[in-house]
Amino acid sequence: MEIVVSGIRSTGQLHLGNYFGAVKNFVRMQHEHPCYFFIANYHALTTHPEPASLRASVRQVLVEYLACGIDPEKAVVYLQSDLPEIPELYMLLNMHAYVGELEKVPTFKDKVRKQPNNVNAGLLTYPVLMTADVIIHKASRVPVGKDQEQHLEMARNFVNRFNHFYGVDYFPEPYPYNFGQELVKVPGLDGSGKMGKSEGNAIYLSDDPAVIRKKIMRAVTDTGPTEPNSPVSEPVNNLFTLLSLVAAPERVDFYKAAYADCSIRYGDLKKELAEEVLSFVAPIQERIREISADDAYIRKVLTEGAEKARLSSSKTLREVREIMGF
Ligand code: ADP
């Protein structure tokens, strides 16, 4: 049986990209594999959150995880910072990670461009911490979105380097995983790229209906098709992709056909998309409200999750230290 690990940074709330890229697959996998799902509160530190806001967003992300159907009776749900073995493994792995290769990671280069005043060492070694998160449980499957493909390729490099250097076959290679084969990239509402927290183009699971409607009605489109069967522009294609996540395939076909014969009305497409997103999030929001009101339950999930996760992480770290000569 393959071990599954995945996490979400605790920088606020979950958006549709997190759900369809990652959480949806977590929920399905918990029935078939030993699963570890964590809230990445160390990873959140690269952007220097206020302590109170870090605490609040950890709680919110946990509540939303549970509201989406992650079941702490089936899967191990925990907070990254509750496992001291993760930072220790991260430190050990850092000795085998080279500055040159880390500087070449596209997400790092992107951050250097976007936040030149905060290029901290944590950002540089982010892929090493992510590797530690995954291999601390010797996981081989990682349900994530397409944006994480390269990080997992690096994780495989680190794993192979470790196994090779110490002459062991200890860590399995971790692969990104999606039930529907292709890794998912959920687009944002601003016409290009992925939906993301830092991109400011996201629909959050806990957004008010009025906010969701407003965001979708303002989504970027184009001036409309001018002749039959013209190619679909990226912003419009993004709306089709979003609709395909929440509506029946026939509805997407309907709008694609309307685009092809130039009868499409973007206002109608957006209205339908907004209503479908609202029906999709309504039951999740209901559960968010219920779970959020239950402090004792939230505490219990985290305490028990940390206990269960440490059984696995402490075993791995003991073995790694021995392999390395401690
Ligand atoms: P964000 O990119 O919004 O900060 P995270 O980095 O915390 O979110 O990502 C958490 C998980 O959600 C990862 O598995 C990532 O692949 C997935 N994810 C985030 N955005 C998207 C997206 N737009 N499409 C698909 N998956 C996504």
Side-chain angles (χ1 to χ4, degrees), residues 6-11 13-23 26 40 43 65 111 126 130 142-149 151 183-188 193-199 201-202 204:
S6 201
I8 301 248
R9 271 188 301 157
S10 57
T11 40
Q13 308 150 327
L14 300 188
H15 53 72
L16 292 182
N18 299 137
Y19 181 83
F20 288 103
V23 179
F26 297 0
H43 284 286
Y65 252 1
K111 298 283 184 208
Y126 198 102
M130 183 168 155
V142 190
V144 285
K146 193 157 178 56
D147 56 315
Q148 294 297 329
E149 217 169 9
H151 288 154
L183 293 182
V184 175
K185 181 186 135 188
V186 178
K194 69 156 198 157
M195 181 177 288
K197 283 166 217 145
S198 31
E199 285 74 8
N201 60 5
Y204 293 96

Side-chain angles (χ1 to χ4, degrees), residues 152-171:
L152 279 165
E153 195 179 317
M154 295 206 70
R156 289 194 294 281
N157 280 340
F158 295 138
V159 156
N160 288 327
R161 200 174 292 160
F162 180 95
N163 287 344
H164 184 254
F165 186 89
Y166 294 103
V168 290
D169 186 15
Y170 184 68
F171 286 120

Side-chain angles (χ1 to χ4, degrees), residues 62-284:
L62 172 65
V63 168
E64 296 190 5
Y65 252 1
L66 301 172
C68 288
I70 292 187
D71 178 355
E73 298 295 322
K74 294 210 164 69
V76 181
V77 181
Y78 61 95
L79 202 54
Q80 185 184 31
S81 61
D82 280 340
L83 269 57
E85 294 82 10
I86 293 176
E88 188 169 344
L89 181 59
Y90 162 62
M91 182 273 290
L92 297 172
L93 290 175
N94 266 326
M95 306 302 169
H96 290 279
Y98 295 97
V99 172
E101 66 184 336
L102 294 169
E103 280 172 342
K104 277 194 229 123
V105 177
T107 43
F108 176 72
K109 290 204 284 201
D110 200 41
K111 298 283 184 208
V112 172
R113 245 186 319 109
K114 286 192 187 145
Q115 49 182 71
N117 299 325
N118 180 22
V119 185
N120 58 65
L123 269 180
L124 182 69
T125 56
Y126 198 102
V128 187
L129 180 54
M130 183 168 155
T131 304
D133 290 328
V134 171
I135 69 176
I136 195 72
H137 304 298
K138 301 181 75 177
S140 54
R141 282 195 187 187
V142 190
V144 285
K146 193 157 178 56
D147 56 315
Q148 294 297 329
E149 217 169 9
Q150 269 163 333
H151 288 154
L152 279 165
E153 195 179 317
M154 295 206 70
R156 289 194 294 281
N157 280 340
F158 295 138
V159 156
N160 288 327
R161 200 174 292 160
F162 180 95
N163 287 344
H164 184 254
F165 186 89
Y166 294 103
V168 290
D169 186 15
Y170 184 68
F171 286 120
E173 289 188 306
Y175 282 91
Y177 183 77
N178 179 356
F179 259 80
Q181 323 95 31
E182 285 277 292
L183 293 182
V184 175
K185 181 186 135 188
V186 178
L189 297 169
D190 52 353
S192 69
K194 69 156 198 157
M195 181 177 288
K197 283 166 217 145
S198 31
E199 285 74 8
N201 60 5
I203 302 172
Y204 293 96
L205 296 180
S206 52
D207 272 345
D208 279 339
V211 171
I212 292 179
R213 286 200 183 95
K214 198 155 133 195
K215 284 182 177 174
I216 294 177
M217 293 316 283
R218 282 194 188 152
V220 174
T221 51
D222 57 22
T223 51
T226 45
E227 52 188 77
N229 299 315
S230 39
V232 181
S233 69
E234 192 184 351
V236 175
N237 200 39
N238 287 349
L239 295 183
F240 291 162
T241 304
L242 288 169
L243 188 65
S244 72
L245 296 170
V246 287
E250 303 82 63
R251 297 311 298 156
V252 183
D253 295 343
F254 170 83
Y255 285 105
K256 284 188 173 163
Y259 188 93
D261 69 16
C262 302
S263 65
I264 191 162
R265 296 205 327 217
Y266 292 145
D268 294 346
L269 166 63
K270 288 176 171 180
K271 263 190 214 131
E272 184 161 341
L273 175 60
E275 295 316 308
E276 292 289 354
V277 169
L278 290 180
S279 342
F280 171 78
V281 298
I284 298 180

